[in-house]
Amino acid sequence: MPSSNVEIVRGLYDAFLRGDLDTVMEGVSQDATWVFVGRQEDVPFAGTRHGKAGAADYFRVLSETVEVNAFEPRELVASEDKVFARGEWQWTVRRNGVGGSNEWLHIFTLVDGKVTSWRCYTDTAHLAETWHASEAAKRAAS
């Protein structure tokens, strides 16, 4: 069993990278707050979700809308009940085949070994550009 919050978060990332969302969800508390900072009209998986079901919904929408081509946590730092994780990811939007990449910062809050809060900060403008790429091309052509 992991002995530190950093080890817990590292284990959750390892499970995500293996595609083992059951293990990820086991690490989320029933009353968690799950926030991908941004607007859902720009990025479908953005916004605030509540509870374990909300976290599961985030992963469902993420997998339905983008293919994660690479995901690399690079630095994890703990402070009291928080873990700050910095990394980079690459994706392809499923509906239009447009890809991109950027860095992210995740902030986890853990209580009794479970994630009670997760927040993601990233360049949502770049994500929105890739999400709306085909729509923008159609508008420019008309």
Side-chain angles (χ1 to χ4, degrees), residues 39-117:
R39 303 178 312 181
Q40 284 186 338
E41 60 265 26
D42 294 331
V43 179
F45 45 88
T48 301
R49 291 170 171 82
H50 298 283
K52 189 176 253 192
D57 183 63
Y58 164 82
F59 286 111
R60 179 189 60 77
V61 175
L62 178 72
S63 71
E64 288 175 356
T65 56
V66 298
E67 178 180 347
V68 177
N69 303 316
F71 183 86
E72 184 181 353
R74 293 191 174 161
E75 183 179 11
L76 283 77
V77 177
S79 177
E80 298 178 14
D81 64 346
K82 304 261 189 283
V83 174
F84 301 85
R86 183 185 65 79
E88 186 173 333
W89 72 307
Q90 297 174 8
W91 68 89
T92 302
V93 175
R94 293 189 187 280
R95 72 180 194 163
N96 62 18
V98 176
S101 67
N102 61 28
E103 291 187 356
W104 48 257
L105 173 68
H106 295 167
I107 302 172
F108 294 83
T109 303
L110 292 100
V111 175
D112 297 328
K114 299 278 187 181
V115 177
T116 60
S117 175

Side-chain angles (χ1 to χ4, degrees), residues 3 7 15 19 37 47 60 89 93 103 110-111 118 122 134 138 141:
S3 62
E7 289 174 346
V37 175
R60 179 189 60 77
W89 72 307
V93 175
E103 291 187 356
L110 292 100
V111 175
W118 176 82
T122 192
S134 62
K138 287 177 192 173

Side-chain angles (χ1 to χ4, degrees), residues 10-21 23-24:
R10 187 171 286 123
L12 295 174
Y13 283 138
D14 290 345
F16 176 77
L17 288 166
R18 291 190 310 269
D20 181 3
L21 290 182
T23 296
V24 173

